[in-house]
Amino acid sequence: MLVLLPPSEGKADGLRGRPLAWGSLALPELDEARARVVDELVELCAGDPVKAREVLGLSEGQSAEVARNAALRTAPTAPAGAVYTGVLYDALGLATLSPAAKRRAGKALLVFSGLWGVLRINDRIPAYRCSGGVRLPGIGPLAGHWKGPLGEALPEVAGSGPVLDLRSAAYAALWRPSGELAARTLTVRVLQERLVGGVPKRSVVSHFNKATKGRLVRDLLEAGPLPRRADRVADALRELGYRVEADDAAPGRLDVVVSEV
């Protein structure tokens, strides 16, 4: 089973590891495409910080993010799972997983990134700011840049098991499963159900969508071997106590219904 995650806009501070070592990241066949984005981003941020903020969608108060990008080649690193912060990663709690669950996470989790394409959680990276929806001056939209390299690399990574796609729209655009692989790819929508005037009403949650997905992945990793077939994923989540419904109008989508967020 492969689990596709978004990154987080927030990154940890105070990293102390050695600088990025090219060739050390998972899927080294992506290194050429990675280097193009790194070179473009460093040049932009080191040369014109004002334009860099505009391109990256940052405010003047986020100028430190531009300086951070300018120093990417020499910046300290840490495992990606420790660099990414935010709601989903807080709920996932990679650092507190059991040893067996950590081993499963290292094999099953794949984090999408506008800068790196995809990463394993143990890949050592510096902190950076470059979302998947960015359009760099010399490259264009990052979704277009990554479409080809990821399209070649990821079907083999996915193997023959199910794919649980928990990415947000900006990162889903970097690569979309197709053909037989699409048929065993599942997405998750989190719905909150509340009683309004005695009548159950459902709404799509936003902020807490990430927390639910993080807890869901954590519980799967801790439960034991991950499902090997797409038709077992919903059952595995139900066994963990989640209320899961298939949506006949959207094949491949699972609705996780929560009453508290």
Side-chain angles (χ1 to χ4, degrees):
M1 181 176 180
L2 191 66
V3 180
L4 312 183
L5 297 177
S8 64
E9 293 299 331
K11 311 295 190 301
D13 294 317
L15 308 186
R16 296 183 178 180
R18 61 188 182 276
L20 176 70
W22 287 104
S24 67
L25 303 180
L27 281 73
E29 61 267 36
L30 299 178
D31 278 355
E32 182 177 347
R34 289 167 173 151
R36 279 198 65 197
V37 184
V38 169
D39 290 346
E40 175 81 10
L41 187 61
V42 169
E43 181 179 358
L44 172 66
C45 292
D48 190 341
V50 175
K51 182 178 180 181
R53 289 203 310 269
E54 178 183 347
V55 169
L56 298 174
L58 302 176
S59 67
E60 186 174 353
Q62 294 174 300
S63 295
E65 301 280 7
V66 176
R68 175 182 272 181
N69 284 346
L72 275 174
R73 294 193 185 96
T74 58
T77 64
V83 172
Y84 292 122
T85 61
V87 177
L88 187 151
Y89 288 89
D90 285 347
L92 175 51
L94 289 165
T96 60
L97 290 173
S98 67
K102 285 181 180 178
R103 288 192 294 272
R104 294 185 194 103
K107 296 177 180 179
L109 304 188
L110 202 63
V111 182
F112 279 68
S113 163
L115 181 57
W116 310 110
V118 294
L119 297 163
R120 298 287 190 183
I121 60 168
N122 294 318
D123 287 342
R124 298 189 66 90
I125 58 169
Y128 67 95
R129 187 64 175 262
C130 184
S131 72
V134 162
R135 178 190 293 264
L136 291 175
I139 291 177
L142 290 178
H145 174 74
W146 286 114
K147 183 177 180 181
L150 294 179
E152 292 182 9
L154 291 185
E156 182 176 351
V157 175
S160 58
V163 176
L164 186 61
D165 189 350
L166 304 181
R167 297 174 295 167
S168 53
Y171 295 97
L174 270 60
W175 174 69
R176 300 185 189 279
S178 60
E180 182 272 335
L181 180 54
R184 50 186 165 90
T185 297
L186 302 169
T187 61
V188 169
R189 181 175 67 167
V190 181
L191 300 175
Q192 183 183 13
E193 185 173 272
R194 294 176 293 177
L195 287 177
V196 180
V199 179
K201 300 288 185 180
R202 290 182 177 181
S203 60
V204 177
V205 297
S206 54
H207 177 78
F208 293 101
N209 165 61
K210 298 176 182 179
T212 300
K213 289 179 177 178
R215 289 193 293 267
L216 178 153
V217 173
R218 180 184 179 89
D219 289 345
L220 281 171
L221 293 170
E222 289 285 10
L226 296 170
R228 295 185 178 182
R229 300 197 329 244
D231 62 1
R232 278 288 301 136
V233 174
D235 289 338
L237 291 173
R238 292 186 185 110
E239 289 166 6
L240 291 168
Y242 289 91
R243 182 178 170 188
V244 181
E245 300 175 358
D247 188 337
D248 293 336
R253 188 176 73 195
L254 301 178
D255 286 340
V256 176
V257 183
V258 298
S259 57
E260 295 181 1
V261 293

